[in-house]
Amino acid sequence: VDGQRIRHKGFWFKPEFITASEAIRAHYTPLPSDIILASFPKTGTTWLKALTFSILRHSSTIHDDRDHLDNLNPHEVDTTKISCPRVFNTHLPLSFLPDTVMTSGSKVIYITRHPADTFVSLWHLYNNKFGTEISIQEAFDDFCKGLDRDGVLFLTYEELKGKPEENVKRIADFLGCKTMVEKVVKECSFENLRGASKETGEGVHWSGTKYKMFFRKGVVGDWKNHLTQEMMKELEDIAEMKWRGSGLDLNIFNNNAS
Ligand code: A3P
């Protein structure tokens, strides 16, 4: 335990996340038609949610016109009452979801982003929006304390930003639908989604877009305006250590970036 956080199965969590994950493991039964959007916070979750909804809305094969999508939280929703295909998003690691997610045939899209931009986005959110006064160095130190199978589409924010049409097509193909790619990209542009979002989260847009605070700059490489060389070196060392032997390195975020 460190302050408000508990270390559980190798990850740091607020206690309520652990309760939520236990409820999900106990009550959520994945279906083959389920679409699960998985991400670490600030890696492009809101954008991916909107894109998935837009793809389904404009699909000639799966038409889906629901108003908004739900977080995977059985405390708040009865997951058996949602129409198929059910779309969920979660920030929980795969090992915290029911084991049958791996075997049910449900489709998982995992989005990730360069850790430096993810950190800067998170720091801004906590500092400016949640009123936490924490210096970038302190927040960075916390951040530093703190992947492929069939059925998982692995996406990066940088790929989506660099080649949106190509990657929306990849998502649609993965979901098995033919959609109007250019329309989807336009509908889910940063400006459009930010325009649709509200300060309060009331009156949710069809795209699932709720809060204005989830839209800041929407660019690749803003970390250069915030992180020192020492901070960047520390992140590179952590990425190297965590990903050793996995075939992943920070270069995956350079491909296709705008
Ligand atoms: P920045 O803070 O770097 O601008 P999440 O939805 O996972 O919380 O991620 C939020 C980040 O995604 C923010 O990054 C936000 O501006 C960016 N974002 C949201 N919608 C976007 C879009 N349509 N295009 C590009 N970036 C978007």
Side-chain angles (χ1 to χ4, degrees), residues 117-255:
D117 278 341
T118 304
F119 163 71
V120 167
S121 186
L122 196 61
W123 176 66
H124 274 286
L125 183 74
Y126 277 93
N127 220 32
N128 300 340
K129 307 292 176 194
F130 291 164
T132 324
E133 287 208 10
I134 178 162
S135 72
I136 191 162
Q137 185 64 57
E138 264 181 286
F140 186 77
D141 293 344
D142 282 354
F143 187 75
C144 290
K145 280 191 221 153
L147 295 160
D148 206 340
R149 67 174 180 96
D150 288 346
V152 177
L153 174 64
F154 188 82
L155 267 186
T156 68
Y157 181 97
E158 290 75 10
E159 286 172 316
L160 258 184
K161 191 79 196 167
K163 295 188 179 159
E165 281 83 10
E166 190 178 307
N167 285 290
V168 164
K169 170 114 185 21
R170 263 176 84 203
I171 302 173
D173 288 349
F174 177 73
L175 298 179
C177 48
K178 275 179 85 64
T179 195
M180 299 161 82
V181 170
E182 273 160 29
K183 196 166 185 154
V184 168
V185 170
K186 234 170 136 185
E187 244 177 29
C188 300
S189 72
F190 181 79
E191 290 72 24
N192 263 351
L193 294 184
R194 186 180 48 188
S197 61
K198 309 258 171 19
E199 296 292 349
T200 60
E202 276 165 25
V204 180
H205 187 243
W206 62 262
S207 60
T209 304
K210 285 189 198 168
Y211 300 104
K212 228 172 205 77
M213 67 183 171
F214 288 161
F215 301 88
R216 192 183 59 91
K217 272 197 172 173
V219 298
V220 170
D222 190 39
W223 63 264
K224 294 186 184 112
N225 298 319
H226 296 277
L227 299 197
T228 61
Q229 279 189 351
E230 291 71 41
M231 286 169 159
M232 197 55 204
K233 173 81 178 68
E234 195 171 340
L235 266 194
E236 282 167 1
D237 289 349
I238 293 173
E240 211 277 314
M241 185 182 72
K242 295 263 183 199
W243 290 348
R244 197 171 296 147
S246 72
L248 288 175
D249 63 41
L250 285 178
N251 287 322
I252 63 164
F253 301 106
N254 294 339
N255 299 337

Side-chain angles (χ1 to χ4, degrees), residues 33-46:
S33 56
D34 283 357
I35 298 167
I36 300 172
L37 310 177
S39 64
F40 186 83
K42 312 323 290 172
T43 55
T45 321
T46 315

